[in-house]
Amino acid sequence: MKAWHKEVIRVHYKDTDQMGVVHHGNYVNLFEIGRTEWMRHAGIPYSKMEDMGLLLPVMDLNINYQKSARYDDLLVIYTKVSNFSKVRLQFDYEARLIPNNDSQGEIADTPTGELLAQGSTVHMWVTRDWKPARIDRFAPEVYALFQEA
């Protein structure tokens, strides 16, 4: 799982503070956008997963801030799965500043742009009644997609 999914996002005014800087808490939202788009691109949109009776709550979140993003900056959120098992899943993220003319391809071998923040989330597969679910047994087709990704 070396390839990164690439999602380009423009910073909106609503996401900044009075100084025009992206509020640190908004990086959690950016990472969530990256994760949901990674899953959509892999063929497992959250809506399909939830229709199957699966949930993927966050168990751990880690963010390391390097530099601030500002209003109207063009960012790219790189997302990849760095570790997965039959019950857990870890995503890694990088938020980077890019020029306005950067290409918007969906996959990249190496992140480009100026690093703003990097982080990770750990998730656990659970059923709608919040019981752990072994993905290989509960949804083998989803497990196969992660093995291929």
Side-chain angles (χ1 to χ4, degrees), residues 55-84:
L55 303 173
L56 200 55
V58 175
M59 298 177 57
D60 185 58
L61 166 69
N62 183 2
I63 302 176
N64 184 341
Y65 302 98
Q66 303 291 316
K67 187 176 176 184
S68 298
R70 299 187 168 276
Y71 168 66
D72 210 34
D73 282 347
L74 192 60
L75 309 180
V76 63
I77 309 306
Y78 288 98
T79 307
K80 71 176 179 178
V81 172
S82 59
N83 194 9
F84 86 98

Side-chain angles (χ1 to χ4, degrees), residues 10-11 24-25 32 41 53 59 69 76 78-79 84 91 94-96 104 108 129 131-132 143 146:
R10 175 128 357 237
V11 174
H24 67 277
E32 183 175 354
H41 181 76
M59 298 177 57
V76 63
Y78 288 98
T79 307
F84 86 98
F91 287 93
E94 291 190 5
R96 291 178 172 262
Q104 296 187 19
D129 57 357
K131 295 192 191 266
Y143 185 68
F146 276 97

Side-chain angles (χ1 to χ4, degrees), residues 113-126:
E114 185 175 2
L115 182 63
L116 303 175
Q118 58 191 12
S120 63
T121 53
V122 176
H123 306 260
M124 182 173 185
W125 297 104
V126 298

Side-chain angles (χ1 to χ4, degrees), residues 12 17 34 132 137 145 148:
H12 298 138
D17 58 22
R137 293 183 184 161
L145 286 171
E148 294 171 13

